[in-house]
Amino acid sequence: MSSSISSTPLGIDPPGTVHVTHDHHELGFWRKYVFSVDHKVIGIQFLFTGLFTLLLGGLMAMAIRWQLAFPWTQMPILGKILFPETGGVATPEGYTMLFTMHGTIMVFFVIIPLLTGAFGNFLIPLMIGAPDMAFPKLNMLGYWWMWPGIALILLAFGTEGGGPASGWTAYPPLSTIEAAAPGSMSGQTLWLLALTFSGVSSMMGAINYVTTIVKMRAPGLSLFRMPLSIWGLFIAALLQLFALPVLTAAGFMQLFDRIFDAGFFTPPDIVVNGFSAEAAGNAAGGHPLLWQHLFWFYSHPAVYIMVLPAMGFVSDILAVHARKPIFGYKPMVYSISAIAGLGFIVWGHHMFMSGMNPTVGMVFMTATIMIALPSAVKVFNWLGTLWGARIRLTTPMLFALAFVSMFIIGGLSGIWMASTPVDIYIHDTYIVVAHFHYVVFAGSVLAIFGAIYHWFPKMFGRMMNETLGKIHFLGTFIFTNGVFFMMHQIGIAGLMRRTADPYAYETYAHLQPLNEFISYCAFALLFWQIFFVVNLVVSLGWGKRVGRNPWGATTLEWDAPSPPGHGNFDSQLVVVRGAYEYAVPGEDADFLPQNDPSAVPDGPTHAPHAPTPAPVHASS
Amino acid sequence: MSSITTFDPLVDAPKHHHPVYDYDSGPPVERGKFAIWLFLATEVMFFAGLIGAYIVLRSATESWPNPEERLAVDITAFNTFVLIVSSWLMVKALFAAEAGDRSGILKWLGLTILGGTLFVSIQVYEYIVLFGEGNLPRTDLFWSTFYLMTGFHGTHVVVGLIWLICAWVAAARGKYTPKNYLGLELAGLYWHFVDLVWVLLFTIVYLF
Amino acid sequence: MSQDKHFNANKVFIGLIILTAVEVAYGVIGGRNYLDLPKGLLWGGLIFMAIWKALLIAWYFMHLKFEGWIVKGLILPTPFLIAVIFGYVLPDLADDESNLVYPIGSMVEAKSGAVYEHMSDLQKHVNPDAGH
Amino acid sequence: MNWILSTFERLWVTALFLAVPILGVWTWVIADRYGWWFPENVSSYGDQIDHLFYVIMWMVAVTFVITEVVLAIVILYFTERKQGRSTYTHGSHKLELIWTAVPALLLVFIAFSQMEAWNDVKIDLPRGVATAEVPYTVDEPIFDVWASQFDWRVRYPDENGNFEGAGVIESPYDIYVPVDTRVVFRLRSRDVLHSFFVPNFRLKQDAVPGMAIPVWFEAQKTGSYDLICAELCGWGHYKMAGRVHVLPKDEYAAWLATARREHRSNGADDLVALGDGDDDDDE
Ligand code: HEA
Ligand code: HEA
Ligand code: CUA
Ligand SMILES: [Cu+2]
């Protein structure tokens, strides 16, 4: 049977319907684990798919690092797979394909599926006290639509000419004219199709999330009682809905250019590697920058899609393991929304050097710099939350703390690039690479690790091993910084990205030792993940069984059994207070579950005469 | 970890035979309708991308050809009329559904589908003629933008038609009651949206 | 179902038809074949009527009029975002002051058969009508 | 026993997070010594840009150190030791105001302090006819730079400033400019996107096919500097190198004269050749 809520195609029963479950006749294996419509199963499917693609992307990163440390030397292991024809030595075009695929996979098939797909699916219904998503079948569809995307993007490697090679940004005309690069043959077409698939997938997801959050919150769970994870996922879903279609449109235009020679992005009178659009009788007269505008209109909001949910998870993890209410809950919510809103008017900061009208660039700069403001509010409120807390240094907490620390670094380096004159020098140098890996790997991915450790007990009813977890954290934290902090240095030295072999230039020759150091850290980072994988596997089978609420947390998901049965909760929940009632004075428990009717109702969201915590001394 | 409570079957085991409950929070709008409007918002952004690209290329071009010389405005004007009519018939169908008059639904909805089919066939005819004259997307920017926008609108019309046909079958099965004809309403919303987009496209593609 | 969704569909329908007729007439007569009105005037008028029609459809046929703030709110951001797109992209790409050596799309109609026997081919496109 | 463990844990975590600002600042202090820092600046507006970099760097550095240290302190002091509860607060308007207002001021300041430099480098360029004071303008540039897969071609106009015909000088890879002169040139591309990047000049500008983007710089020190392509342009992107030779004014004049005499490009033809670059030798 399909989930009882979803028994109608769109889940459009008149509201208030109470279905009686048919839990008893068991589902077959396929319906239960493969084509399941249960949001928990789908979430876990997304989780493992995402980890798998993360491994792929990570391995490609290792190949990149090898080439940068020891250019044109035989690459161990990976070389055999990636460059068989040269006996494991990277080729120039092969390198361009490597980072293109690395970036694409990491952005579209790792971070977004993990954050919104895995945790969005698993957490949203549980955290708002709903039995399932609004449209479970659509949900399942969303998962399965991602697979053609993954298949196509991997297939691209096999096509004649090899995988796409125009960067994850796919700037035309390089990406639209087949003669321009080996990878711009059918590989690029597959790339576009893959993106469309993943786009449709996250579209289905986003519609589902927003509808569920708006329409299916448990009685009493007002918007301003929602956990910040839900807020993060909610706003991220809205970003998807309003930004992604534009990329889809642009993607179709690029497909038109490639398949029908439509020339939207092809300026006239260019001769690319002997090929001339006019001579071939193709349309021309379009503008390359048009693509950049449309692409970044999506892809800048996308970077916030890649961080807002992570921020939400971190806020929740901090509160739970610090046993303290979130400091400034409402400012947190407003800043999430502000980041999202501003995110729509800053995309041009990726185009300062692109030949864009420099006056327009000035406007973009001002808007961009202003985004630091809501981010600042978040950072300071996290510190405020921790101040005067009783922190428990559990593994999830460690990763959450790491996120705060790392996001500050990544965010601050954004300020340089936001300032147009400085960006003249650092655009497309490794400072940019350092910047976005700090926010996206050291930020989002570490937050994802934290979220896995934190919600694993809820997902599988077992704890992950704390000792292994802490070992995993220690190494990951150290090597991550080893890899990415040094990239600032080579960036300031002027090394630009997407360069297969920088050392031919006298300007860069002396940077090889540093690059080698970075690469060694990267390899160590990869191997260190073994502790995580082992921990994952062992805990799945033999981890300590836990109860419903191992961490002593207040939010609704911890009221369900671990793992939650079909329909999630034993009975209808009624929410009586905000999500962060920890250490309430005069209560004997140091946390008050949102749905626990005993004790005081909602605490004031702002205690006017609260003891002033000390960050003020530090931050002024 | 001191804080971790161990598994206690009495408290922690899932209680069986629990009811699966469903309730409605937030504003008074059906989930389906809420979702469809979200979806329509994304569709708006999608066409904003396509039309935006056209406007940019177009308004930056001095020598843009005169659409009236390249396209059959009269036929398309008639086609626009057809689509608007079908949109109006759709409203009629909804009213019928509201009145619980099934044969009414079938009649009006049937006519709507007829109108839509006519629109598509006329557009297909237009394409065939244009192709015959050797006007392909690769010919020049005018044609590539033309095929891009009208093409994607056309596919939307086809999707809408399929949806309407499903609704018609459902209606024939008597699925729609005066209390609940949401399925029909959603199909209608999509159909009207397709009509709305065409109103804009017709103006900027054929008349500018 | 909200029952009070009553409006006179026929009136709206007639309105749409009339607007379409006027629009086509205005477009064709005002167009390059006859009056050849200034672009601003022509486009302004057409866009005005088109958007008017679009609003009629959305407001009545899609009974936005009868929906709550929430549904209206879902569609509301789109006009702003569209305004943002145009506000940024037009001044950039469609700006005469920008450094294009050819007007975008000037290859429409123009098909330079033999490309580059000479450097000046590029400058040629500064003048759109050259080339054919 | 348990107590020792938890204390140990508290300490190593604190140390770990404290290491971030310490090592971070340390690397930036020693960076210069190992050449992990800006290459020498030789252009007139380079100082402006570096200056802005440092202004932002100081603000960011302070914020960075403060926030990271506070984080470490928090971990050290507020990690659960004895029984007891965390302070129960949901926030404070006063603090929110402070830490919204202060960064706001900083950021507005940053934003506005950028405008002038940006205007000087990219917006306000000399147009119209060249004069003695302003020897080169957008309309009468010193040369056109043509980027194409995977080389740079520089076209010097002939005596009367024409960019076509037999008088034109075509110099692949090597760009010659006079020192202490504000040179304006037009950046163009034959095929795909490229980017004209000279680290020592703090100069970067994408070359876009179909656009002729005016660029200027004024080199203040003779010598020859790497010209690097900074926008992905295909498999050979990494080796799309050039050299900018800054000559004393008189030497430059002499070079130009000799070049005009000997090194005459056959105009059209090698431009035809330009398109099909050396791509053929990769498969
Ligand atoms: C999760 C992803 C993520 C996030 C959150 C951000 C956040 C930011 N990014 Fe980043 N960015 C990327 C992902 C991300 N970015 C990616 C992937 C690219 C490269 C794309 C490519 O070209 O391939 C990129 C590139 C990029 C560029 C283009 C660089 C170039 O190509 O030349 C710029 C330029 O403005 C920029 C700016 C910013 C800014 C201002 C923020 C701000 O949101 C940061 C705000 C946060 C803080 C400022 C720190 C916390 C605040 C305080 C501690 C308070 C005090 C601070 C001050 C007073 C300054 N980013
Ligand atoms: C969005 C996320 C993301 C992530 C997580 C990463 C992670 C990494 N990235 Fe990358 N990167 C990008 C996004 C990302 N990157 C983008 C968008 C670009 C630009 C591309 C372009 O220019 O077009 C880029 C480019 C880029 C470059 C520049 C290439 C160039 O310009 O020449 C480099 C160079 O060092 C690099 C390195 C790395 C490294 C070492 C990691 C490491 O952190 C990787 C560590 C990961 C692992 C070690 C995997 C561990 C595996 C698991 C934990 C799963 C366990 C498995 C199971 C349980 C099944 N990346
Ligand atoms: Cu030319 Cu990169
Ligand atoms: Cu951005």
Side-chain angles (χ1 to χ4, degrees):
Chain A
M1 80 167 209
S2 64
S3 146
S4 41
I5 298 312
S6 72
S7 38
T8 52
L10 276 163
I12 48 178
D13 333 48
T17 326
V18 168
H19 309 260
V20 180
T21 168
H22 328 290
D23 257 299
H24 309 304
H25 61 82
E26 270 302 318
L27 302 165
F29 168 83
W30 287 95
R31 298 291 301 284
K32 194 165 178 191
Y33 297 110
V34 183
F35 296 109
S36 167
V37 291
D38 183 321
H39 73 98
K40 299 179 288 298
V41 180
I42 296 174
I44 290 164
Q45 288 172 324
F46 264 113
L47 179 66
F48 284 112
T49 319
L51 286 175
F52 168 69
T53 42
L54 173 59
L55 187 58
L56 292 183
L59 291 173
M60 291 177 190
M62 297 309 130
I64 292 175
R65 285 318 314 177
W66 180 272
Q67 168 67 10
L68 287 172
F70 319 104
W72 320 128
T73 59
Q74 187 177 28
M75 192 183 294
I77 311 148
L78 286 174
K80 297 268 171 306
I81 308 156
L82 290 166
F83 308 104
E85 68 285 348
T86 59
V89 181
T91 58
E93 66 274 24
Y95 183 79
T96 57
M97 293 166 195
L98 268 180
F99 63 71
T100 302
M101 286 298 222
H102 165 72
T104 313
I105 288 182
M106 284 296 198
V107 170
F108 293 99
F109 296 101
V110 175
I111 304 296
I112 293 180
L114 276 178
L115 285 176
T116 62
F119 288 100
N121 269 306
F122 187 81
L123 291 182
I124 288 175
L126 280 167
M127 278 190 151
I128 66 174
D132 203 316
M133 282 288 181
F135 311 116
K137 291 209 177 92
L138 190 68
N139 209 12
M140 174 186 76
L141 219 60
Y143 173 71
W144 286 108
W145 266 83
M146 193 179 62
W147 271 106
I150 298 177
L152 286 172
I153 202 98
L154 295 179
L155 218 69
F157 266 127
T159 59
E160 185 216 351
S166 49
W168 82 288
T169 51
Y171 283 179
L174 183 63
S175 56
T176 49
I177 295 181
E178 298 214 333
S184 294
M185 299 167 78
S186 30
Q188 185 65 24
T189 312
L190 291 187
W191 183 89
L192 287 161
L193 292 174
L195 249 60
T196 316
F197 274 104
S198 86
V200 173
S201 156
S202 35
M203 221 60 195
M204 297 173 174
I207 290 183
N208 225 331
Y209 303 153
V210 175
T211 316
T212 311
I213 293 172
V214 170
K215 294 293 297 173
M216 294 176 71
R217 276 170 288 121
L221 186 62
S222 61
L223 283 179
F224 279 119
R225 282 177 176 175
M226 294 199 308
L228 287 169
S229 302
I230 298 300
W231 268 110
L233 289 163
F234 182 54
I235 301 289
L238 287 177
L239 280 176
Q240 289 275 32
L241 287 172
F242 288 107
L244 189 59
V246 177
L247 179 70
T248 318
F252 277 122
M253 289 169 73
Q254 202 179 100
L255 271 176
F256 263 55
D257 270 13
R258 297 182 48 78
I259 298 173
F260 305 125
D261 310 314
F264 296 118
F265 306 127
T266 315
D269 279 357
I270 62 175
V271 182
V272 184
N273 190 13
F275 170 88
S276 143
E278 292 81 4
N282 300 348
H287 201 304
L289 294 192
L290 181 57
W291 164 265
Q292 297 188 23
H293 276 293
L294 295 175
F295 177 85
W296 287 116
F297 179 85
Y298 167 71
S299 290
H300 181 78
V303 307
Y304 292 119
I305 294 167
M306 288 192 281
V307 85
L308 290 182
M311 287 173 162
F313 304 156
V314 166
S315 309
D316 280 356
I317 296 173
L318 287 182
V320 172
H321 299 268
R323 320 303 303 159
K324 189 163 172 292
I326 281 288
F327 195 87
Y329 170 85
K330 277 192 174 161
M332 285 293 222
V333 173
Y334 296 143
S335 53
I336 291 183
S337 322
I339 292 176
L342 285 170
F344 271 112
I345 59 170
V346 301
W347 75 84
H349 63 222
H350 298 273
M351 298 172 61
F352 287 149
M353 298 309 121
S354 69
M356 177 178 66
N357 183 334
T359 323
V360 178
M362 232 185 236
V363 186
F364 274 122
M365 167 183 73
T366 323
T368 304
I369 290 180
M370 283 312 142
I371 286 193
L373 201 49
S375 316
V377 172
K378 296 199 76 63
V379 168
F380 294 139
N381 277 307
W382 283 323
L383 294 177
T385 307
L386 294 170
W387 196 274
R390 284 279 180 282
I391 298 172
R392 294 176 181 161
L393 291 175
T394 57
T395 312
M397 186 58 162
L398 291 176
F399 277 104
L401 291 167
F403 173 92
V404 176
S405 171
M406 299 291 101
F407 175 75
I408 292 172
I409 300 180
L412 289 176
S413 59
I415 303 300
W416 273 298
M417 302 181 294
S419 90
T420 41
V422 180
D423 194 51
I424 296 175
Y425 180 71
I426 67 183
H427 168 66
D428 268 348
T429 64
Y430 265 79
I431 296 191
V432 178
V433 179
H435 157 72
F436 67 76
H437 283 91
Y438 257 102
V439 273
V440 134
F441 181 80
S444 302
V445 173
L446 291 202
I448 287 170
F449 283 142
I452 292 177
Y453 284 100
H454 183 70
W455 278 291
F456 188 90
K458 185 52 63 183
M459 288 178 172
F460 305 105
R462 299 179 179 276
M463 290 303 292
M464 284 184 84
N465 180 303
E466 277 289 313
T467 323
L468 277 174
K470 279 168 186 161
I471 298 173
H472 172 222
F473 165 77
L474 184 60
T476 307
F477 188 85
I478 293 173
F479 295 126
T480 301
N481 284 286
V483 174
F484 296 120
F485 200 87
M486 287 307 162
M487 285 190 184
H488 293 111
Q489 257 51 51
I490 50 178
I492 297 176
L495 178 55
M496 80 282 185
R497 48 194 287 205
R498 298 172 168 180
T499 310
D501 173 16
Y503 312 114
Y505 297 94
E506 133 193 330
T507 321
Y508 299 147
H510 67 288
L511 292 176
Q512 175 150 20
L514 192 50
N515 259 327
E516 268 181 49
F517 170 79
I518 294 177
S519 297
Y520 286 126
C521 291
F523 305 146
L525 182 60
L526 174 66
F527 289 122
W528 208 266
Q529 301 310 315
I530 287 170
F531 289 104
F532 173 70
V533 179
V534 170
N535 195 347
L536 203 63
V537 175
V538 172
S539 310
L540 273 174
W542 300 274
K544 177 145 126 285
R545 289 289 304 282
V546 289
R548 298 184 170 218
N549 193 354
W551 306 119
T554 58
T555 41
L556 296 181
E557 77 267 30
W558 302 105
D559 186 80
S562 323
H566 183 67
N568 294 347
F569 300 96
D570 301 337
S571 61
Q572 167 83 68
L573 303 184
V574 177
V575 176
V576 296
R577 61 174 68 81
Y580 302 103
E581 290 306 305
Y582 292 96
V584 183
E587 294 296 328
D588 35 13
D590 82 327
F591 68 100
L592 298 176
Q594 280 191 277
N595 60 320
D596 162 5
S598 68
V600 300
D602 219 336
T605 34
H606 276 294
H609 306 301
T612 307
V616 62
H617 307 310
S619 63
S620 60
Chain B
M1 215 54 256
S2 56
S3 64
I4 296 170
T5 61
T6 42
F7 183 77
D8 166 7
L10 289 178
V11 197
D12 299 323
K15 314 219 177 347
H16 283 299
H17 315 296
H18 60 268
V20 173
Y21 40 88
D22 180 16
Y23 46 80
D24 194 270
S25 69
V29 50
E30 301 82 355
R31 278 175 208 168
K33 188 186 279 183
F34 184 87
I36 216 72
W37 274 102
L38 266 180
F39 172 65
L40 289 183
T42 67
E43 288 277 37
V44 172
M45 290 314 289
F46 177 77
F47 279 102
L50 300 183
I51 298 178
Y54 164 77
I55 298 273
V56 168
L57 293 174
R58 168 69 195 264
S59 58
T61 304
E62 274 93 84
S63 65
W64 196 266
N66 180 357
E68 289 156 34
E69 288 164 2
R70 291 192 166 201
L71 299 164
V73 176
D74 43 7
I75 297 180
T76 320
F78 171 72
N79 219 8
T80 313
F81 172 75
V82 170
L83 203 56
I84 293 178
V85 171
S86 81
S87 206
W88 168 64
L89 295 164
M90 185 70 222
V91 180
K92 289 273 180 218
L94 271 181
F95 285 167
E98 208 169 358
D101 140 24
R102 185 196 298 184
S103 61
I105 304 181
L106 294 181
K107 181 177 83 201
W108 295 116
L109 195 54
L111 289 170
T112 313
I113 295 170
L114 224 64
T117 326
L118 181 58
F119 177 89
V120 176
S121 359
I122 293 182
Q123 203 184 14
V124 168
Y125 165 78
E126 184 190 20
Y127 270 33
I128 293 173
V129 171
L130 290 174
F131 284 147
E133 295 165 356
N135 300 317
L136 304 172
R138 74 201 300 259
T139 308
D140 63 32
L141 263 193
F142 177 93
W143 291 116
S144 44
T145 46
F146 169 82
Y147 285 115
L148 181 75
M149 289 184 287
T150 56
F152 272 107
H153 177 264
T155 37
H156 278 72
V157 176
V158 173
V159 173
L161 275 175
I162 296 168
W163 195 340
L164 288 181
I165 291 168
C166 300
W168 193 90
V169 174
R173 293 239 193 81
K175 263 200 72 185
Y176 301 130
T177 66
K179 286 247 136 302
N180 178 2
Y181 52 91
L182 186 63
L184 183 64
E185 200 179 348
L186 300 187
L189 279 173
Y190 187 77
W191 189 248
H192 294 308
F193 172 77
V194 170
D195 182 25
L196 185 154
V197 172
W198 179 253
V199 164
L200 296 172
L201 278 188
F202 172 65
T203 309
I204 66 170
V205 174
Y206 288 79
L207 299 179
F208 261 33
Chain C
M1 287 307 109
S2 35
Q3 300 302 349
D4 54 354
K5 282 189 198 134
H6 273 300
F7 64 96
N8 187 331
N10 306 6
K11 267 211 195 114
V12 181
F13 172 63
I14 301 299
L16 286 170
I17 296 306
I18 294 174
L19 270 170
T20 314
V22 176
E23 200 185 3
V24 174
Y26 182 71
V28 172
I29 298 169
R32 289 178 229 180
N33 294 359
Y34 302 97
L35 298 181
D36 195 7
L37 298 171
K39 280 266 165 289
L41 192 59
L42 181 67
W43 292 10
L46 287 172
I47 282 289
F48 174 74
M49 281 183 273
I51 290 186
W52 188 356
K53 283 158 70 181
L55 287 182
L56 278 178
I57 295 174
W59 202 242
Y60 290 103
F61 284 7
M62 304 173 81
H63 20 77
L64 205 48
K65 181 176 184 219
F66 309 97
E67 300 293 354
W69 59 270
I70 181 77
V71 170
K72 293 196 181 88
L74 289 180
I75 213 75
L76 200 63
T78 52
F80 291 102
L81 293 174
I82 294 170
V84 168
I85 297 183
F86 284 123
Y88 274 129
V89 180
L90 279 176
D92 177 16
L93 299 188
D95 171 18
D96 312 347
E97 285 304 297
S98 68
N99 307 302
L100 292 172
V101 289
Y102 68 94
I104 311 178
S106 64
M107 289 307 292
V108 175
E109 291 176 330
K111 265 273 188 303
S112 55
V115 208
Y116 324 119
E117 59 292 331
H118 203 272
M119 173 82 182
S120 56
D121 273 30
L122 254 177
Q123 270 79 2
K124 178 182 72 197
H125 296 290
V126 180
N127 164 8
D129 303 326
H132 60 101
Chain D
M1 192 57 221
N2 210 327
W3 169 82
I4 301 176
L5 277 178
S6 62
T7 316
F8 172 68
E9 184 169 83
R10 201 173 105 240
L11 293 179
W12 73 255
V13 175
T14 312
L16 195 63
F17 280 84
L18 205 54
V20 171
I22 294 175
L23 292 180
V25 172
W26 179 69
T27 41
W28 282 51
V29 172
I30 64 161
D32 207 4
R33 205 176 310 153
Y34 298 92
W36 306 338
W37 206 251
F38 291 104
E40 180 196 16
N41 161 48
V42 299
S43 87
S44 57
Y45 49 64
D47 295 334
Q48 253 175 309
I49 290 174
D50 293 0
H51 170 71
L52 287 171
F53 180 91
Y54 287 114
V55 171
I56 299 178
M57 184 189 80
W58 280 112
M59 291 187 185
V60 163
V62 173
T63 329
F64 167 66
V65 171
I66 291 173
T67 42
E68 298 284 356
V69 168
V70 170
L71 189 62
I73 293 174
V74 162
I75 294 170
L76 183 62
Y77 283 104
F78 298 111
T79 298
E80 189 170 50
R81 275 167 290 180
K82 50 201 162 326
Q83 284 314 316
R85 289 197 181 170
S86 35
T87 43
Y88 178 79
T89 166
H90 285 87
S92 118
H93 285 305
K94 199 154 105 271
L95 277 175
E96 299 292 349
L97 280 180
I98 294 172
W99 63 45
T100 312
V102 174
L105 292 176
L106 275 176
L107 292 167
V108 171
F109 166 75
I110 293 182
F112 281 102
S113 51
Q114 311 301 324
M115 306 263 177
E116 191 191 351
W118 179 247
N119 183 60
D120 293 354
V121 179
K122 294 278 180 188
I123 297 182
D124 115 50
L125 297 142
R127 300 188 177 268
V129 185
T131 64
E133 310 80 70
V134 189
Y136 308 105
T137 69
V138 176
D139 312 271
E140 296 183 5
I142 179 171
F143 47 61
D144 277 359
V145 172
W146 283 90
S148 68
Q149 291 176 329
F150 298 99
D151 56 15
W152 302 94
R153 301 270 179 132
V154 194
R155 304 196 115 239
Y156 291 81
D158 61 16
E159 289 80 350
N160 15 13
N162 299 335
F163 278 91
E164 29 209 88
V168 176
I169 304 169
E170 171 89 17
S171 156
Y173 301 107
D174 293 295
I175 301 179
Y176 298 87
V177 293
V179 72
D180 294 326
T181 319
R182 184 184 200 193
V183 298
V184 181
F185 66 92
R186 286 180 305 197
L187 185 55
R188 293 181 145 151
S189 169
R190 261 263 162 258
D191 40 34
V192 299
L193 298 173
H194 303 271
S195 192
F196 187 96
F197 180 34
V198 184
N200 301 80
F201 295 175
R202 311 290 188 262
L203 164 58
K204 186 182 285 123
Q205 176 59 59
D206 285 10
V208 183
M211 292 173 84
I213 301 171
V215 185
W216 77 274
F217 64 84
E218 177 176 337
Q220 295 174 318
K221 187 158 167 293
T222 57
S224 50
Y225 306 97
D226 270 329
L227 161 61
I228 297 156
C229 177
E231 183 63 65
L232 179 63
C233 54
W235 69 270
H237 167 61
Y238 72 99
K239 66 181 177 70
M240 183 164 164
R243 291 294 273 185
V244 181
H245 306 279
V246 181
L247 307 175
K249 286 201 173 79
D250 48 354
E251 278 186 38
Y252 173 74
W255 171 83
L256 196 61
T258 40
R260 287 236 160 89
R261 237 181 295 103
E262 289 138 27
H263 169 99
R264 283 192 176 277
S265 83
N266 45 352
D269 310 354
D270 62 355
L271 268 172
V272 188
L274 247 177
D276 30 51
D278 27 9
D279 297 32
D280 318 326
D281 49 72
D282 78 289
E283 276 103 357

